[in-house]
Amino acid sequence: MDSNKNLKKFCRFSVDARTYSGAVRGNMVDIVEGDLFGDLSDIRMSFPVDHVKFLPPIMPTKIWCVGVNYMGHMREMGHEPPKEPLIFMKPRTTVVGSGDPVRIPEWAGRVDYEGELAAVIGKRCRNVSEFEALSFVKGYTCYNDVTARDLQTDNHWIRAKGFDTFGPLGPSILVTEKMPDETKITTRLNGSVMQQDTLASMIFPVRQIISYISRFATLEPGDVIATGTPAGIGRVKPGDRVEVEIEGIGSLINPFISD
Ligand code: MG
């Protein structure tokens, strides 16, 4: 793992119909060989960020999500403070990368963006304490928990949250065990700021969410945990463009189109 030491932002991308693993370095992407969980070595070839198509940085093993995890969002939804994390899942077929379109069928009704921080699990774990939880994290990326709000009437939310393309992920994974509490998360709709908060506003911090899930399920390398959205959710329509930006990671940008 020593060769990972200098790796800051892992990504996957394509150029000229070829697919690579990469490391984002400023406005450049370097090709790296290997995989996120093993040894990675740099290859001395890089491309300007503008010239590459980002792919999802990882195809998740499982996608866990936390509902109602920021005080502001809790209030705007009229929820009571949760006593424990509210966990749900999304299918892997929701995953798309930065730049990929999110497809909205007309019958889905109102569809909302939800900008979120996603943690990527690096090591298998079960029954871990909050104290040790972050040592199982590989890194963090941006997530958009796209939701068909009108259909969120099923208890399990699977249909409302589970449409194909309703889980944009990326553009890169910042390799670190912990994000600073003061890290800013911002969601823009067609360039206007709609959501802005810091990770300090989470009701249940990442370490607590991991410990909670690990009490009933094994977390595996490649599991992604979306950690909830701040206040300011809103509707997105075909033709709109949503950007989820997290300091230190980058911007996840997706156009929305009708399906
Ligand atoms: Mg959400």
Side-chain angles (χ1 to χ4, degrees):
M1 299 291 278
D2 277 349
S3 56
N4 281 8
K5 223 181 256 173
N6 296 321
L7 180 71
K8 293 279 189 268
K9 295 184 194 176
F10 175 86
C11 69
R12 291 182 60 252
F13 68 96
S14 64
V15 172
D16 298 333
R18 293 194 63 184
T19 299
Y20 304 97
S21 295
V24 180
R25 181 172 48 84
N27 291 324
M28 301 297 286
V29 183
D30 299 332
I31 295 178
V32 295
E33 226 168 39
D35 79 279
L36 180 62
F37 305 104
D39 288 329
L40 284 160
S41 54
D42 292 330
I43 296 180
R44 292 281 155 247
M45 185 165 173
S46 40
F47 301 94
V49 165
D50 295 347
H51 292 197
V52 310
K53 163 72 187 81
F54 282 107
L55 304 171
I58 189 171
M59 183 45 73
T61 312
K62 304 191 281 296
I63 305 165
W64 304 92
C65 300
V66 186
V68 202
N69 198 35
Y70 283 76
M71 294 304 273
H73 179 59
M74 182 196 84
R75 286 190 211 102
E76 76 183 350
M77 297 300 281
H79 289 295
E80 296 295 311
K83 293 188 176 57
E84 52 188 23
L86 171 59
I87 305 293
F88 61 95
M89 298 186 83
K90 290 174 71 135
R92 298 165 84 230
T93 39
T94 52
V95 175
V96 291
S98 189
D100 290 331
V102 175
R103 301 194 312 269
I104 308 179
E106 201 176 331
W107 64 268
R110 173 178 162 168
V111 171
D112 288 2
Y113 56 80
E114 291 188 2
E116 309 197 3
L117 173 78
V120 179
I121 296 295
K123 285 181 250 172
R124 178 178 290 265
C125 63
R126 180 85 209 279
N127 269 322
V128 293
S129 69
E130 288 179 34
F131 179 74
E132 59 189 337
L134 295 186
S135 67
F136 297 95
V137 172
K138 186 74 199 180
Y140 296 87
T141 189
C142 309
Y143 190 68
N144 191 343
D145 175 21
V146 181
T147 303
R149 198 66 70 196
D150 291 340
L151 302 181
Q152 209 178 1
T153 47
D154 303 328
N155 282 337
H156 46 71
W157 299 354
I158 287 285
R159 190 173 54 145
K161 303 273 193 178
F163 282 77
D164 285 358
T165 73
F166 273 24
L169 185 73
S172 59
I173 295 170
L174 179 66
V175 178
T176 179
E177 289 184 1
K178 181 170 171 30
M179 295 294 288
D181 286 343
E182 63 272 19
T183 301
K184 207 182 283 179
I185 176 167
T186 304
T187 308
R188 295 182 186 87
L189 174 64
N190 302 324
S192 302
V193 174
M194 307 302 284
Q195 299 184 289
Q196 190 160 70
D197 208 336
T198 67
L199 304 180
S201 299
M202 283 188 199
I203 297 171
F204 301 105
V206 174
R207 62 176 187 280
Q208 205 170 342
I209 296 165
I210 290 172
S211 174
Y212 180 86
I213 296 174
S214 80
R215 275 155 49 193
F216 64 88
T218 299
L219 287 167
E220 301 168 287
D223 278 12
V224 165
I225 306 174
T227 57
T229 201
I233 54 146
R235 183 168 190 173
V236 51
K237 292 178 176 163
D240 288 341
R241 178 175 178 270
V242 177
E243 174 186 3
V244 179
E245 182 186 11
I246 299 177
E247 277 179 330
I249 298 174
S251 284
L252 169 68
I253 302 170
N254 297 92
F256 282 62
I257 63 171
S258 54
D259 194 12

